[in-house]
């Protein structure tokens, strides 16, 4: 394979880590946490959905410390979960000794796991990002595969496409960093963040004689788009994007001046444009025209849906953005919440929607969880309120709803020592941290919780590393437990 092809298909190491904020907090910050604001949002519902009366109190962690899923051990990235009936599906990218694969495991109500399955889109050597989703009571997995090598191989077109069962999209010029999915009743919708490229392989090379042997960097920009089924096909729509520097790939200039031929600097012939490399420069890094776009790119996407609504959120380095709409219309301007933020989580609960993310006021403050809630039809942006989780920094929130109960999980600590905490309420979301329990093992580095619920069961999943060491310094394992709600 030619070096130019390899350069085109090099995927950025932009792995999403929900528990890492743009600026890492100081270890175990010894500061006073921010006080929970009074009812700052006049739009936040303060009562549970109408229905049966559910008692308040802490949940019970069925397996304290969680059951270790040894088939999902290594460095854990892109942990995703979904539940249907009495089963839970866990999907994660696992890296062992520099080799990575995206694997899937199902767990039953007795916490008995199936053997891990390595996911594929039908193309060899494809990097797969995936998310499970419940559709009409059945668990399925939506996938996207990026082929890094062998552009001319017969199975190349099997990559760069969305796949779920027999449904498949056309080839997308994308290199996705992350995928999340949500059930929309009898259907599903997924959201992705990543890099858009203009073309692959030979198409990216100029054919003019002056440009023979030159290679163009095809990166177009970063963005968020949604995918959903339409019959046997999967279609995608962009929601937001940040374009890289716009340069005509085949444009070039020349310093050649026949009147001054022979003078220094004026007889050198055609000069390559900023995005071109001469033939003798092949193998060198292409100029990066995406520096500014990468600094403001959207990432850490979250999605929630029901039969009529979709809530989509993501973060940028200094803001969380939330878009509300339907599966076919997510064009409304986003609500933007500025600050030093972490990854958001969203959920739809009856007529209300809830979003939670981590944020801090300044470099000396811990990260605390911020919450907004609004009802269907609200047009005024709600005011965030602080959930008083404690003195340690709180990150990586996860949300789920079971019947009329709202469940919140998060990690608390820093990059070397953290615990997983869980709260539940049948009242308004401002009561989520009234009754909190610890789910993870003591003296560990437990990270990135995920939640999933059915009418009968609620599951909590997280990744756990050796205490006192960062996740890139030790081997992690995925852990799972059921939660008994009050």
């Amino acid at each position: 394979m030619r070096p130019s092809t390899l350069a085109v298909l090099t995927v950025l190491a932009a792995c999403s880590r929900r528990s890492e904020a743009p600026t890492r907090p100081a270890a175990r910050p010894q500061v006073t946490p921010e006080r929970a604001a009074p009812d700052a949002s006049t739009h936040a519902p303060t009562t549970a959905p109408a229905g049966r009366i559910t008692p308040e109190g802490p949940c019970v962690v069925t397996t304290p410390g969680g059951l270790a899923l040894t088939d999902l051990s290594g460095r854990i990235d892109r942990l995703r979960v979904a539940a249907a009936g009495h089963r839970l599906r866990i999907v994660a990218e696992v890296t062992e000794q520099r080799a990575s694969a995206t694997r899937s495991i199902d767990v039953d109500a007795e916490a008995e796991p199936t053997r891990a399955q390595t996911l594929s889109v039908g193309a060899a050597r494809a990097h797969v990002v995936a998310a499970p989703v419940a559709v009409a009571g059945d668990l399925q997995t939506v996938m996207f595969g990026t082929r890094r090598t062998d552009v001319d191989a017969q199975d190349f077109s099997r990559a760069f496409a969305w796949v779920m069962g027999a449904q498949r999209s056309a080839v997308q010029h994308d290199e996705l960093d992350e995928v999340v999915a949500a059930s929309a009743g009898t259907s599903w919708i997924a959201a992705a963040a990543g890099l858009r490229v203009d073309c692959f392989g030979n198409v990216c090379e100029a054919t003019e004689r002056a440009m023979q042997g030159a290679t163009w960097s095809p990166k177009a920009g970063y963005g968020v788009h949604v995918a959903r089924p339409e019959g046997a096909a999967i279609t995608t729509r962009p929601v937001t994007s940040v374009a890289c520097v716009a340069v005509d790939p085949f444009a070039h200039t020349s310093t050649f001046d026949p009147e001054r031929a022979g003078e220094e600097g004026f007889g050198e012939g055609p000069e390559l444009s900023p995005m071109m490399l001469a033939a003798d420069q092949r193998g060198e890094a292409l100029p990066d025209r995406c520096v500014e776009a990468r600094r403001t790119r959207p990432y850490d996407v979250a999605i929630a849906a029901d039969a009529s609504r979709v809530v989509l959120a993501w973060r940028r380095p200094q803001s969380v953005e939330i878009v509300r709409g339907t599966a076919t219309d997510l064009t409304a301007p986003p609500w933007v919440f500025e600050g030093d933020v972490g990854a958001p989580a969203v959920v739809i609960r009856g007529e209300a929607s809830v979003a939670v993310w981590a944020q801090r006021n300044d470099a000396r403050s811990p990260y605390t969880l911020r919450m907004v809630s609004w009802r269907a039809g609200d047009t005024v942006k709600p005011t965030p309120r602080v959930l008083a989780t404690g003195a340690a920094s709180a990150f990586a929130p996860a949300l789920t709803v079971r019947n009329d109960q709202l469940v919140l999980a998060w990690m608390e600590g820093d990059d070397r020592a953290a615990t997983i905490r869980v709260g539940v309420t049948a009242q308004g979301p401002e009561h989520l941290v009234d009754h909190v329990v610890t789910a993870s093992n003591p003296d560990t580095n437990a990270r990135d919780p995920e939640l999933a619920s059915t009418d009968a069961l609620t599951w909590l999943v997280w990744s756990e590393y050796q205490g006192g060491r960062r996740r890139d310094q030790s081997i992690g394992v995925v852990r799972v437990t059921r939660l008994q709600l009050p």
Side-chain angles (χ1 to χ4, degrees):
M1 181 184 65
R2 291 174 299 175
S4 62
T5 300
L6 180 60
V8 170
L9 295 176
T10 299
V11 179
L12 294 176
C15 175
S16 170
R17 296 177 184 174
R18 296 172 55 246
S19 57
E20 294 183 7
T23 303
R24 196 184 303 278
R28 300 184 180 278
Q30 301 299 314
V31 293
T32 303
E34 302 162 85
R35 292 181 178 273
D39 193 3
S41 173
T42 58
H43 304 279
T46 56
T47 59
R52 64 186 178 86
I53 298 176
T54 303
E56 288 289 281
C59 64
V60 175
V61 179
T62 302
T63 308
L67 170 71
L69 301 178
T70 55
D71 279 355
L72 299 179
S73 61
R75 192 188 74 193
I76 311 300
D77 292 300
R78 303 177 180 90
L79 181 61
R80 306 282 186 251
V81 298
H86 288 78
R87 286 191 305 139
L88 173 77
R89 179 161 296 176
I90 304 169
V91 171
E93 183 175 323
V94 179
T95 302
E96 301 173 285
Q97 298 179 347
R98 299 185 179 180
S100 65
T102 299
R103 298 175 184 168
S104 174
I105 284 181
D106 284 5
V107 178
D108 65 18
E110 303 302 322
E112 286 292 329
T114 62
R115 187 170 183 176
Q117 173 189 3
T118 298
L119 300 180
S120 171
V121 293
R125 295 180 297 281
H127 173 242
V128 177
V129 290
V133 64
V135 181
D138 187 30
L139 286 173
Q140 301 188 47
T141 302
V142 58
M143 299 178 284
F144 187 94
T146 301
R147 182 66 175 270
R148 292 175 170 169
T149 59
D150 297 340
V151 173
D152 298 327
Q154 289 183 349
D155 67 349
F156 179 77
S157 63
R158 302 293 293 175
F160 298 98
W162 291 85
V163 181
M164 189 162 84
Q167 295 173 317
R168 177 175 287 269
S169 72
V171 172
Q172 304 283 133
H173 286 188
D174 295 313
E175 295 174 351
L176 300 185
D177 295 324
E178 54 184 311
V179 170
V180 293
S183 173
T186 58
S187 186
W188 59 272
I189 185 169
L195 177 68
R196 177 78 174 176
V197 298
D198 286 328
C199 50
F200 297 117
N202 298 337
V203 181
C204 287
E205 296 185 6
T207 56
E208 301 176 38
R209 184 174 182 179
M211 289 293 97
Q212 286 294 326
T215 303
W216 174 59
S217 174
K219 299 174 184 177
Y222 297 88
V224 172
H225 59 264
V226 294
R228 56 184 293 270
E230 289 187 3
I234 298 174
T235 61
T236 64
R237 289 183 176 86
V239 178
T240 187
S241 62
V242 181
C244 297
V245 175
V247 176
D248 183 348
F250 305 128
H252 62 277
T253 60
S254 175
T255 59
F256 183 74
D257 184 345
E259 298 295 326
R260 306 182 66 178
E263 294 184 30
E264 183 177 357
F266 287 93
E268 300 173 357
E271 182 179 272
L272 298 178
S273 74
M275 293 303 105
M276 299 292 185
L277 290 180
D280 60 359
Q281 292 176 295
R282 287 191 174 205
E284 297 182 14
L286 289 170
D288 188 349
R289 63 189 179 111
C290 297
V291 173
E292 290 302 319
R294 188 159 51 251
R295 287 173 181 163
T296 58
R297 75 189 190 278
Y299 59 111
D300 281 341
V301 289
I303 192 168
D306 63 13
S308 60
R309 288 174 293 164
V310 173
V311 177
L312 178 62
W314 60 83
R315 68 161 160 164
R316 299 183 192 267
Q318 290 297 317
S319 65
V320 164
E321 301 184 8
I322 300 173
V323 171
R324 302 149 299 120
T326 67
T328 57
D329 184 5
L330 286 166
T331 58
W335 285 337
V336 178
F337 301 91
E338 296 182 342
D340 186 348
V341 299
V346 294
V347 74
I348 294 175
R349 181 197 192 197
E351 289 299 309
S353 300
V354 180
V356 178
W357 65 90
Q359 185 171 334
R360 66 179 179 178
N361 285 343
D362 54 60
R364 295 181 59 84
S365 301
Y367 285 89
T368 54
L369 297 183
R370 311 295 170 95
M371 180 273 295
V372 291
S373 183
W374 66 95
R375 291 190 181 277
D378 284 354
T379 58
V380 178
K381 184 175 77 172
T383 301
R385 57 184 300 151
V386 177
L387 298 176
T389 53
S393 282
F395 288 101
L399 287 166
T400 192
V401 171
R402 192 177 113 196
N403 301 319
D404 60 349
Q405 294 173 292
L406 181 62
V407 187
L408 169 69
W410 69 95
M411 58 158 284
E412 200 168 87
D414 54 50
D415 64 339
R416 295 176 183 269
T419 57
I420 302 301
R421 306 272 278 165
V422 188
V424 58
T425 185
Q427 300 184 45
E430 66 273 16
H431 295 282
L432 274 167
V433 295
D434 288 356
H435 307 281
V436 176
V437 297
T438 298
S440 56
N441 291 305
D443 303 320
T444 62
N445 189 5
R447 313 191 71 76
D448 296 334
E450 295 287 343
L451 289 163
S453 291
T454 66
D455 290 343
L457 300 172
T458 297
W459 305 85
L460 171 65
V461 180
W462 68 93
S463 56
E464 188 171 277
Y465 298 84
Q466 180 179 341
R469 307 189 73 179
R470 298 193 310 266
R471 73 186 202 107
D472 60 341
Q473 296 174 328
S474 64
I475 296 175
V477 65
V478 172
R479 291 186 172 272
V480 57
T481 183
R482 281 179 28 225
L483 300 176
Q484 294 181 4
L485 306 187

